[in-house]
Amino acid sequence: MIHSKISGTGRYLPERVLTNFDLEKMVETTDEWIRTRTGVERRHVCADDETTSDMCVEAAKHAMEAAGKTPADVDMVIIGTTTPDLIFPNIATLVQHRLGIPACPAIGLEAACTGFIYALTTADKYIQTGDAKCVLVIGAECITKLLDWSDRNTCVLFGDGAGAVILEASEEPGIIGCHIGADGQYLDLLYYPVGASKELQKAGTDEAAIMMAGKEVFKVAVSTLGDVASRALEAAGIEQSELDWLIPHQANVRIIQATAKRLGLPMEKVILTVQDHGNTSAASVPLALDVAVRDGRVKPGQLVLMEAFGGGFTWGSVLMRF
Ligand code: ACO
């Protein structure tokens, strides 16, 4: 059987950093409120002329370098994002071309904050069938461009960034199990009201802003993330205590703490970047992975569970030996 394994990681964060103290000057909020309710202290924000594909290209270069790959080695590109540069062509084609990757399947995929987990799951399947050998997988988001900077309920939560991995065919896992899911009945709890075929005329107006029922999202996120993690471990016949690291979606430190508690995992085994990045949607898990790989916490051979939850709702997990 062909397995898949991550052989390199990379990240890019925009230069501009917006702290909670900066936000105090923009809306009626305090550093203390934001830190205690969400765990966020600062976030990176794209420049006006910076796009999601710009960030993808930089993150991908670092991942390819870490994996010792050139653009010619890559035979598929999959990018999870809710904020592509254009409606078409899809973002993966832009990134494939800009990196000088020879013509290959290029898939842009939208699953809100679960985008990277969906992309990695898709890449794993292509590698398992033998249809791809070396896939560039990215989670990226320029979500601050969707924000209403006068809405304190949402503008304090989010940040921009991109995280990338190279996923290669391998004789040994690598990826042990992927579980993704979705239930569209929760549309009203979290959505952005403008699309290509609906309400496009609202783009750029006050009516275009993230709609979120924070408390309800919080509750479903905690129970779903707990279930998704338990299911991944159960399917693999692995005990919680065997896990070296949990890398959860970085939406809110309280959601992460509640999930870890349900799993019986101490917070020392959880990678946390929400304080520095905010909620970067599809980018949050690969950003956290790269941070922990590069600072030496996540080591080759360790057992890692990544999981995410986002608008839709969508959810998913990937259990792997790094
Ligand atoms: N500063 C100060 N006060 C604020 C702010 C702010 N930035 N934002 C809201 N408030 C006020 C509210 O208006 C409310 O005031 P009121 O009682 O007078 O009406 C008060 O603070 C309390 O608001 P709550 O909604 O009770 O605050 P809560 O403890 O639920 O925290 C939060 C809100 C942080 C949004 C939380 O519900 C949450 O994180 N939910 C999960 C949603 C999420 O993570 N969404 C991100 C996208 S989805 C995803 O990635 C999973």
Side-chain angles (χ1 to χ4, degrees), residues 267-278:
M267 284 303 284
E268 292 73 44
K269 286 191 168 189
V270 180
I271 304 296
L272 269 188
T273 51
V274 68
Q275 68 284 0
D276 296 325
H277 300 165

Side-chain angles (χ1 to χ4, degrees), residues 27-30 33-34 37-38 113 143 151-158 190 210 212-219 221 225 249-255 279 281 308-311 313:
V27 286
E28 206 184 320
T29 191
T30 60
W33 192 97
I34 303 171
R37 300 296 177 109
T38 71
C113 302
I143 200 150
D151 177 13
R152 68 176 184 175
N153 291 298
T154 51
C155 77
V156 302
L157 302 175
F158 296 96
L190 183 59
I210 293 174
M212 186 184 77
K215 270 192 199 309
E216 286 76 8
V217 175
F218 192 103
K219 279 185 220 145
L225 284 168
H249 172 47
Q250 310 282 322
N252 182 317
V253 74
R254 292 187 296 138
I255 294 178
N279 180 353
S281 184
F309 175 87
F313 291 135

Side-chain angles (χ1 to χ4, degrees), residues 54-319:
D54 293 336
M55 296 193 291
C56 289
V57 165
E58 295 310 315
K61 283 180 189 165
H62 294 303
M64 288 195 293
E65 196 188 337
K69 297 289 165 194
T70 67
D73 297 318
V74 175
D75 58 8
M76 181 176 254
V77 181
I78 309 182
I79 301 179
T81 185
T82 310
T83 47
D85 295 23
L86 301 168
I87 289 169
F88 72 88
N90 94 58
I91 187 163
T93 65
L94 308 182
V95 173
Q96 169 261 326
H97 173 66
R98 288 181 57 185
L99 285 167
I101 293 170
C104 67
I107 302 172
L109 182 156
E110 202 264 289
C113 302
T114 320
F116 175 75
I117 298 290
Y118 267 56
L120 196 58
T121 299
T122 308
D124 175 58
K125 303 295 172 254
Y126 273 96
I127 287 181
Q128 277 185 25
T129 60
D131 284 343
K133 289 192 168 51
C134 180
V135 188
L136 170 61
V137 186
I138 304 176
E141 215 76 77
C142 211
I143 200 150
T144 63
K145 292 201 182 179
L146 300 183
L147 292 179
D148 171 356
W149 288 104
S150 66
D151 177 13
R152 68 176 184 175
N153 291 298
T154 51
C155 77
V156 302
L157 302 175
F158 296 96
D160 299 327
V165 303
I166 292 291
L167 192 74
E168 284 191 70
S170 155
E171 283 173 11
E172 314 232 306
I175 289 185
I176 296 166
C178 301
H179 297 272
I180 55 172
D183 191 344
Q185 71 166 301
Y186 296 105
L187 161 74
D188 291 344
L189 297 187
L190 183 59
Y191 66 100
Y192 188 76
V194 176
S197 63
K198 192 171 179 183
E199 311 281 20
L200 190 54
Q201 74 285 357
K202 287 186 182 167
T205 72
D206 289 350
E207 289 180 84
I210 293 174
M211 315 298 279
M212 186 184 77
K215 270 192 199 309
E216 286 76 8
V217 175
F218 192 103
K219 279 185 220 145
V220 189
V222 170
S223 66
T224 308
L225 284 168
D227 291 350
V228 149
S230 307
R231 207 176 129 210
L233 293 171
E234 224 175 271
I238 286 171
E239 297 290 325
Q240 284 103 309
S241 56
E242 294 175 60
L243 270 186
D244 290 298
W245 296 106
L246 175 69
I247 307 186
H249 172 47
Q250 310 282 322
N252 182 317
V253 74
R254 292 187 296 138
I255 294 178
I256 296 172
Q257 285 162 342
T259 311
K261 196 170 165 197
R262 275 178 69 127
L263 268 176
L265 268 188
M267 284 303 284
E268 292 73 44
K269 286 191 168 189
V270 180
I271 304 296
L272 269 188
T273 51
V274 68
Q275 68 284 0
D276 296 325
H277 300 165
N279 180 353
T280 55
S281 184
S284 96
V285 170
L287 281 172
L289 172 66
D290 186 61
V291 166
V293 167
R294 286 176 190 263
D295 71 18
R297 277 178 291 172
V298 170
K299 296 182 184 62
Q302 287 188 328
L303 201 53
V304 178
L305 179 64
M306 300 183 282
E307 61 168 10
F309 175 87
F313 291 135
T314 57
W315 57 85
S317 69
V318 174
L319 180 65

